[in-house]
Amino acid sequence: MSNKPTVIIGGGIAGLAVAKALSENGFSCVVVEKDDRIGGRVRDWACMATHRCLRCFCCSVEDLVHDVTTASSVDIILGSELSGVIKCGQSLEQVRVKSLASGHEKLLDASALVIATGFEPYNPKEKLLLGYGRFEGVFTLIDVDTFLREDNISRFTAGIQEPLRVAFFQCVGSRDKTIGADYCSQYCCKGALRMALRLLENNSDWEITIFYIDLQIAGKLAGWLLSEAKERGIRLAQGVPGEIVEGSDKMLQISRDDNGSNVRENFHRIVLSVGQRSTSASREIASLVGLELDNYGFLAPEGFLETSRTTVAGVYLAGTCCGPKDIENTLMHAGQTAAAIIADLKNEPRV
Amino acid sequence: MHPRYTDVPHAAENSPYPSALVLGNGLCGAIASRALLDLGLSVRLVGTSRISSALFCSAPLFDSEHYYQQLLSEKDKDLEILDVVEHPAIRREAPGFIVSLGKDKQSFFGCIIVTSRVSLRNQENNLPAGVEQMGTGVLSGQAERIVFLLDYIHRSDPAVGMAAIKKAIENQMVGGHSFVLFQHAPVTHIFGESLYERARRAGVQFVRFGSELPSVRKKKENSRTPLKFTVTVRDSIEMGEKLEFHCNRVVVVSSPDGSSIPNWALDFAAHDVDDEGFLLSASIHCHSGRSFANGIFAVGECTGNVDLIRVIEQARSTAVRARAWMRRAALLQNEKTVVSSEECIRCLTCYRICPHSAVSLIGMQSRSTVEACASFCEQCGICVSECPRMALDLESFPEQNVSAFLTKVRQTSPPLSMVLYGCERTAARLVAKIELPPDILFFSFPCAGSISEAILWATLASGVRGVLVLGCHHDNCASDSGTDWARVRVEAILEKLASHGCIPLKLKYATVSAKEPARFRGIVEQYANYLRDGAGMKPAEG
């Protein structure tokens, strides 16, 4: 490496995207990842293509992993986490990383530090009325995504022979003041639409309903996703039921209001579109580095129009660690983070 | 496929980058210019008139006027703003573009950023005169009774919707009454939900309607009351209860209209529009402002993005991509990627089909040569595969590679069950994860689009039982149309064989992504078993 690198904490899609953008511009990086491989959560998620790409962006992690591992100006340290920062006055000088296995610490020269530690999917177990973890037919969007990735849909269907009746519940763990998460998690409306279309592609006789509060449909192909869903017979119903009851036949029962009358419906499977929450790793890093947290526990950026810089000089944020995003917005945000670093280094790598 | 440009030593940083050209000097142009200037690039900002853009900001307590004024200043010594009468003509010349700006004035630029204005969709056709379109202007400051009408016929853009909710709050704060009628409440950004909450606490009345649209009537002209509009809506939450609001203003909250992109902007990115007409293909490869037409980027409204916060993020990530692209273009400018032989008849097929607009015609008509400009070329090989005279060859993937492979196939004994063709980006990565049986051979191409019909015929004639062509999913190909070219060629061959009465199904096309190793394995095994079972050897009838 010919210059003092940018140290990126987190080798998920956001961290990799920052590393690629910086190295393409001549700035070297070190990616520090706690797992034994890079790629983060997105590596476990499935391609949602039907007869065409649906813009889930999951394949971009494969491209990024390839680009970053073959880039000579990017070093990767696996199985390690951030353990400290060393400054000279206000200026960032070095970063300390610790191996999780051996506890051995290493000092890295750093011209900038990026926190890209990602999000935690909401665990709906605490919503007792939804039966997640108790009823075998209740899953999260993330669970089903990993089944599809493993091409193991039998983990979802569990041998049910007749066409499945599936429901998606939107906003589970999002837009919810009672759990301190009154924000939209940004990815789940389109995420559920894509997954519904993907499931229908291979199982055209299934009946799928999406229960939503407000559909967040914006961006490229989003309008098409919605009209394609309607055309394929996916039912969209306003109002998310608050309770799931398991019948003796293992069917899942919900009740909802339909123009003033109480209606009961049965489903084989219910998929909970869970929100994005902040992680304990991000919160620990905040105290280690002197970063602020917002009302929801996410790492706080400098301001509304400065969402990559922080109040600490030399420290930047990328991806969902500072707020919920879908993959497309994560890539765009990571690009902005790289731009901020290059600009602050006055466009010249520091030697 | 494309050379790695992350390996460049520090010394290369010493040479200055060429200037960037920003087309369109509205707000998006200013934001894009600022992002480029911040990366140490010099910028020429060019436009025909200073039209204010329609960017909506839903962030609380934000002074947009102050922000706009501080974007660009006279102190930016690397910025030149130019008013032009007509939009410039461009010509590609490695490592960038020659642009004609006005009479006899030609300048070189390393990259071009397109930022054109769009109009909001006009939904007032079915509404009485006097109904307004949600804009970026300020309220009068007087207390008013205003109905904000979202999702009227077309879905409202969330940025415009949230800006409307902000205005609804402002009106309440000066003693007015605001009513927001919607089908879907926009809650983008981390503060979207709390904006909605704040509006409710401020007394804004929200009414969700279902499939029945609200109706707007206007009182007669000679009516004395200032409350000249009556809006009737069925509340879908309250059992369809019919509500009536009398107000002095009705504001329709619309969304950007893709058909309003001016022709000059479309000319720059002719192939790269999405399904609604906005610039930049919906392909995942065109995130962060990148167009398949290499060196050309687009930011802001013309890409369908009217959210100020998102446009700023987009501009900055585009600038970083543009800077990296210029760096790569400079490194490659003296290289040769595609060679053309005497067989070339200047039909310009390669020029027309190149997804990256890398091909140009150099010289005079009868003595001209076709050249792929290495700075723009991604070495996908689509031009080589479609040349009717087979006059082209890729330096990094010459024709000998394929003929050597076919020789190997012909010599393999016993004959192979299947040859598997696919691209470096997807098929090669999938194959690397599995162990192919000895009767299947894989050969990697730069792009599925570089597998010509001739190669497929030659492979079918080489003794294999069948050929499986793998492409990326439609609209996921890194060269835009490469996978579709592969499909078209396979279909053409199958049709020709079928028209002769034999349906051997010795050729198959399938799409996969690098994310689907299990599905990929299933496709390969299923087709291989089909071929092994001799199902591919059904003789012709009669």
Side-chain angles (χ1 to χ4, degrees), chain B residues 93-364:
Chain B
E93 193 167 289
F97 304 88
I98 302 283
V99 182
S100 307
L101 290 165
K103 286 196 198 59
D104 304 321
K105 190 173 178 216
Q106 288 198 332
S107 309
F108 177 80
F109 294 98
C111 65
I112 299 177
I113 316 304
V114 177
T115 74
S116 92
R117 173 91 222 250
V118 294
S119 313
L120 292 177
R121 221 192 279 263
N122 186 348
Q123 298 185 141
E124 296 147 36
N125 290 333
N126 305 321
L127 297 165
V131 165
E132 304 158 59
Q133 171 94 276
M134 174 69 194
T136 50
V138 293
L139 291 175
S140 63
Q142 311 271 23
E144 293 176 302
R145 286 179 71 88
I146 317 180
V147 167
F148 293 91
L149 188 48
L150 274 68
D151 303 323
Y152 186 78
I153 302 175
H154 297 285
R155 254 177 8 263
S156 302
D157 179 277
V160 188
M162 283 172 66
I165 292 175
K166 236 172 96 174
K167 287 237 186 346
I169 298 173
E170 283 165 28
N171 182 41
Q172 294 279 145
M173 293 309 189
V174 295
H177 287 283
S178 307
F179 310 92
V180 176
L181 277 47
F182 68 99
Q183 284 177 324
H184 302 282
V187 284
T188 332
H189 301 296
I190 189 107
F191 52 79
E193 180 73 20
S194 56
L195 177 71
Y196 185 42
E197 269 306 300
R198 208 153 44 85
R200 285 215 282 247
R201 279 200 311 272
V204 175
Q205 190 170 344
F206 286 89
V207 182
R208 184 193 300 275
F209 58 89
S211 49
E212 190 184 322
L213 291 177
S215 67
V216 180
R217 286 187 326 276
K218 193 173 174 187
K219 297 204 174 54
K220 293 205 207 348
E221 281 305 324
N222 55 12
S223 162
R224 294 259 183 94
T225 170
L227 303 178
K228 39 189 198 251
F229 294 102
T230 304
V231 181
T232 316
V233 61
R234 280 202 188 279
D235 188 340
S236 69
I237 306 289
E238 298 303 326
M239 301 195 301
E241 181 190 337
K242 191 163 145 187
L243 300 169
E244 210 169 69
F245 302 110
H246 302 281
C247 56
N248 52 319
R249 289 176 71 183
V250 174
V251 178
V252 171
V253 178
S254 184
S255 59
D257 184 359
S259 64
S260 71
I261 309 257
N263 285 328
W264 70 263
L266 290 173
D267 285 343
F268 277 93
H271 306 294
D272 266 353
V273 288
D274 66 18
D275 58 314
E276 292 182 1
F278 294 110
L279 289 195
L280 298 182
S281 158
S283 165
I284 60 148
H285 300 285
C286 297
H287 76 86
S288 300
R290 185 238 174 175
S291 161
F292 276 118
N294 276 337
I296 296 181
F297 301 82
V299 166
E301 294 171 60
C302 58
T303 66
N305 188 355
V306 293
D307 183 323
L308 177 64
I309 297 175
R310 293 271 179 257
V311 170
I312 292 169
E313 285 176 357
Q314 184 189 31
R316 290 168 177 170
S317 58
T318 303
V320 117
R321 271 194 110 158
R323 189 183 187 276
W325 188 82
M326 287 200 285
R327 192 159 176 273
R328 170 186 187 264
L331 287 172
L332 297 174
Q333 63 183 297
N334 296 319
E335 294 200 7
K336 218 151 176 54
T337 52
V338 177
V339 280
S340 137
S341 76
E342 290 156 0
E343 296 292 317
C344 172
I345 55 170
R346 294 145 192 87
C347 64
L348 296 184
T349 298
C350 51
Y351 168 79
R352 276 194 298 273
I353 64 171
C354 173
H356 306 291
S357 302
V359 179
S360 21
L361 200 62
I362 313 290
M364 301 301 289

